Amino acid sequence: MATQCGKCGPGYPSPLEAMKGPREEIVYLPCIYGNTGIEAPDYLATVDIDPKSPQYCQVIHRLPMPNLRDELHHSGWNACSSCFGDSTKSRTKLMLPCLMSSRIYVVDVGSDPRAPKLHKVIEAEDIHAKCGLGYVHTSHCLASGEVMISTLGDSKGNGKGGFVLLDGETFEVKGTWEQPGGAAPMGYDFWYQPRHNVMISTEWAAPNVFRDGFNPADVEAGLYGSHLHVWDWQRHEIIQTLTLQDGLIPLEIRFLHNPDAAQGFVGCALSSTIQRFYKNQGGTWSVEKVIQVPPKKVKGWMLPEMPGLITDILLSLDDRFLYFSNWLHGDLRQYDISDPQRPRLTGQLFLGGSIVKGGPVQVLEDQELKSQPEPLVVKGKKVPGGPQMIQLSLDGKRLYVTTSLYSAWDKQFYPDLIREGSVMLQIDVDTVKGGLKLNPNFLVDFGKEPLGPALAHELRYPGGDCSSDIWL
């Protein structure tokens, strides 16, 4: 295997080589206690997902953070496949940016992968002072050896889409990646593609807008994002802003994994659309809607129409399949994207959601379903919430799913998630014809944690995965 070449850095030489990597045996995921009424710090859970292990589907280690109310959210690495050519680099530290406290925890997963330990705490004051930024979100490692983390706001919770740069060895805050004064009005996720000298970032909203819950009036007032920002990768500045038609709240963004590709997809949560962005013949960037999940007319909910709420998307490493979760409707979908302009639905599974039979919501009009789906019961547990964060195995054959979005929104949309805790599920994927099938023997129930029900969020494997690795 290419990773045993002796002089290579972390990860794999290409996405297709990564697909030949070993099967995942453990997974790391942040668990949150914010908005649950439990006064305990968030923690990093290590879960055994090796079917041959006697601890299969069990949390085998918990690393509590030293502070309360951080809201651990997404995670990233100190080094990944972008550093593959550098034998001095290794993937040994997991970066844990905190959405609400603006801290960044650096966790050592290299010394003992099954029992991570805290390596360093980067305090919010350091980020505020050196960058004028706060509310940290997505972390990506760079080929330079640095770590880059996107932000949603300034120190006061106003919208500000900038990027914090950390030294990849000392984890000192170096300053901002973008030119001084050049932050976007809002921020969230980002992905870069150096062969096209481009990075594209997305927008959620100012932290002061979303932090306490979702208010539909804020949408009417234009306080939620609807743009993609195209950055010159070498000059570190915005060169184009794309307005999304039917594209409210663009969250997760994914270029195709092939580093030559000049296109990718973004999931727009509130409008429930998937948009394809691409480099056009003129050398600038364009965007088009390629998937629309129709809303459902409902009774017994906060609005007369319920959007699917696309909250996470993934591309398989061979760029053949696109996956996304509709957190409110409750379904997980697989599309064949062999023709990226015309995605074709090949798999769909309902895993809970807001429209299940017997719940408070009555569906009055549905363009897709003939009846409301049955509640999901796995190993005797009725699954609360809906499918949210997703992660795909390197070979593309297993999809892992968790059900928490963000604690304040969990509390608003799925009160039972707060009471019962989130779950982790596993889906078997047909990679030949397409198709999704629930593994009935896999359940990690975070409702039974020692300190009380917890909200488990994004998943990472020690060896890299489909949403943290970028190839150059």
Side-chain angles (χ1 to χ4, degrees):
M1 265 174 52
T3 45
Q4 296 168 342
C5 63
K7 293 182 181 174
C8 295
Y12 301 88
S14 72
L16 294 181
E17 281 297 316
M19 292 187 79
K20 302 173 192 171
R23 181 179 170 130
E24 64 288 352
E25 294 180 350
I26 58 172
V27 66
Y28 304 121
L29 62 171
C31 293
I32 291 90
Y33 276 126
N35 286 294
T36 64
I38 296 171
E39 284 290 304
D42 299 347
Y43 61 97
L44 183 70
T46 306
V47 178
D48 189 323
I49 52 171
D50 177 3
K52 300 189 294 291
S53 166
Q55 295 173 302
Y56 182 52
C57 284
Q58 291 177 31
V59 179
I60 57 171
H61 187 266
R62 297 170 185 85
L63 174 67
M65 298 303 121
N67 301 284
L68 294 173
R69 290 179 281 282
D70 280 317
E71 193 83 28
L72 297 179
H73 200 61
H74 288 203
S75 56
W77 296 105
N78 65 312
C80 70
S81 292
S82 65
C83 303
F84 181 73
D86 186 347
S87 60
T88 68
K89 301 283 185 252
S90 57
R91 194 189 318 243
T92 57
K93 305 291 189 301
L94 187 65
M95 315 300 298
L96 290 178
C98 302
L99 188 59
M100 283 296 120
S101 71
S102 301
R103 289 185 185 91
I104 301 166
Y105 294 112
V106 184
V107 174
D108 174 4
V109 297
S111 301
D112 183 353
R114 297 177 75 86
K117 58 189 179 189
L118 193 58
H119 176 72
K120 180 168 181 165
V121 181
I122 302 164
E123 292 293 350
E125 292 74 19
D126 199 14
I127 297 165
H128 297 335
K130 292 179 182 172
C131 304
L133 296 169
Y135 300 89
V136 282
H137 191 270
T138 298
S139 174
H140 277 302
C141 65
L142 308 185
S144 63
E146 296 165 307
V147 175
M148 180 167 158
I149 301 177
S150 63
T151 70
L152 280 73
D154 63 13
S155 60
K156 295 182 171 62
N158 304 305
K160 193 174 185 184
F163 303 89
V164 176
L165 268 187
L166 304 178
D167 183 286
E169 299 291 331
T170 64
F171 304 105
E172 290 295 315
V173 179
K174 296 178 72 171
T176 62
W177 174 85
E178 72 276 9
Q179 299 288 350
M186 290 185 239
Y188 184 74
D189 195 18
F190 71 102
W191 197 281
Y192 61 88
Q193 204 81 319
R195 292 188 191 182
H196 295 279
N197 188 36
V198 70
M199 177 179 87
I200 302 182
S201 65
T202 63
E203 307 182 319
W204 185 3
N208 290 338
V209 170
F210 69 76
R211 68 188 311 156
D212 296 324
F214 175 72
N215 183 349
D218 290 335
V219 179
E220 296 294 318
L223 300 181
Y224 277 95
S226 59
H227 300 90
L228 300 182
H229 300 286
V230 182
W231 302 74
D232 185 298
W233 183 238
Q234 292 176 330
R235 298 207 315 260
H236 301 194
E237 60 188 23
I238 295 174
I239 51 172
Q240 201 180 342
T241 292
L242 301 172
T243 302
L244 296 164
Q245 304 301 320
D246 299 324
L248 271 171
I249 316 187
L251 294 181
E252 311 301 331
I253 187 163
R254 313 280 183 241
F255 265 93
L256 294 185
H257 292 289
N258 177 355
D260 283 327
Q263 62 178 319
F265 300 90
V266 60
C268 299
L270 194 59
S271 50
S272 305
T273 59
I274 299 287
Q275 311 261 348
R276 180 180 82 101
F277 58 87
Y278 60 97
K279 197 181 205 174
N280 58 43
Q281 288 180 324
T284 60
W285 293 79
S286 301
V287 65
E288 63 176 354
K289 179 171 75 170
V290 290
I291 299 171
Q292 171 77 64
V293 176
K296 301 181 191 297
K297 289 194 175 165
V298 294
K299 196 166 118 183
W301 197 64
M302 67 184 294
L303 296 168
E305 288 199 339
M306 181 189 289
L309 210 74
I310 297 173
T311 50
D312 197 16
I313 73 167
L314 265 192
L315 303 181
S316 59
L317 285 169
D318 57 5
D319 292 330
R320 187 169 160 217
F321 290 112
L322 161 74
Y323 298 88
F324 67 81
S325 50
N326 282 310
W327 189 58
L328 288 177
H329 287 178
D331 59 317
L332 189 68
R333 300 190 185 200
Q334 175 199 50
Y335 284 79
D336 186 316
I337 51 167
S338 305
D339 179 354
Q341 290 179 263
R342 294 169 191 81
R344 184 171 58 85
L345 182 65
T346 47
Q348 184 178 21
L349 263 185
F350 276 85
L351 305 170
S354 292
I355 58 161
V356 292
K357 277 184 189 163
V361 177
Q362 182 187 354
V363 178
L364 304 176
E365 197 176 304
D366 194 323
Q367 294 178 44
E368 294 187 317
L369 302 177
K370 292 187 170 62
S371 63
Q372 295 182 223
E374 297 289 341
L376 179 66
V377 178
V378 181
K379 296 181 82 169
K381 180 178 173 87
K382 183 179 172 185
V383 170
Q388 209 286 97
M389 293 308 295
I390 50 178
Q391 190 55 267
L392 189 65
S393 61
L394 292 173
D395 62 9
K397 293 180 178 176
R398 291 166 301 285
L399 193 65
Y400 296 91
V401 188
T402 57
T403 51
S404 164
L405 173 62
Y406 157 60
S407 64
W409 288 29
D410 291 351
K411 186 176 181 179
Q412 181 178 3
F413 291 105
Y414 288 116
D416 52 346
L417 204 53
I418 301 291
R419 290 190 301 270
E420 298 170 39
S422 63
V423 300
M424 177 178 162
L425 305 169
Q426 187 241 306
I427 312 303
D428 292 318
V429 178
D430 185 333
T431 56
V432 181
K433 300 179 193 161
L436 303 173
K437 187 181 173 192
L438 178 73
N439 178 346
N441 300 313
F442 188 104
L443 173 76
V444 185
D445 182 0
F446 290 93
K448 294 180 176 171
E449 286 295 271
L451 297 179
L455 302 169
H457 199 64
E458 193 190 41
L459 311 116
R460 290 268 176 249
Y461 315 127
D465 49 57
C466 296
S467 53
S468 62
D469 277 74
I470 293 177
W471 281 268
L472 303 185

